[in-house]
Amino acid sequence: LFVGTENSMEVPQEVKQSIDEFEGKIDDLEKLLQPIFDVDLQSLLSGLSAYEQAKLHVTMAYALNTLFYMYLKTQGHSPSEHPVSQEILRLKEYIGKLQESTLPQQAPTTKINKPAAERVIAHGTGTKKEKKNESMDVEGEKKPRWSAEKKREEKNKRSQTPQKRTPQKSEGDKKPRYTNKQIKR
């Protein structure tokens, strides 16, 4: 790589060009970053939303850690053994989480069977929809159905009235048939 004797070391022209290009890129980077360094961080953050603040913090941390990673490489150290590598991985996870948060939310995969839920609620509360309480009579007119409450009232009314079984004979029958007749008081 180096040409010359032991006492004098010359740097090849290719390496000099690479170093000059690298210094030019660093100068460009400093010019790009100068507006950020000139602004007070608190005043910058005050005008941003929470998402934008998080994005700015993660981006700055990622940039600084990446620059330090590059510095370690230029100094001949192995950055993969340095804790900066784990920090960069951690920051990449946060960047992924921020990107996921901007994706449109998907609709829930669970679907609710609305008619079944209405039936369960109606049964549990003892109420029914008015529409279901009506049925059609023979002429096509709507007539109200008996509700469960009316059925209970009718059943209670019948059970409170004493009934007597009386035999009745019909024509041609040898044995009497029994019917329930209500006893009038």
Side-chain angles (χ1 to χ4, degrees), residues 89-134:
L89 292 175
R90 186 179 72 87
L91 290 168
K92 282 183 180 180
E93 287 179 26
Y94 283 121
I95 290 170
K97 287 180 183 181
L98 283 171
Q99 289 173 347
E100 285 177 16
S101 70
T102 60
L103 296 176
Q105 296 293 327
Q106 295 179 349
T109 57
T110 306
K111 291 188 177 181
I112 297 173
N113 186 346
K114 189 174 180 180
E118 288 174 350
R119 287 192 304 268
V120 168
I121 292 170
H123 178 72
T125 59
T127 60
K128 292 185 181 178
K129 285 188 170 181
E130 199 170 300
K131 191 176 190 180
K132 292 183 179 181
N133 283 340
E134 295 179 353

Side-chain angles (χ1 to χ4, degrees), residues 61-74:
Y62 185 77
L64 289 173
N65 280 287
T66 304
L67 286 172
F68 187 70
Y69 181 92
M70 291 179 358
Y71 170 75
L72 288 176
K73 274 199 160 235
T74 60

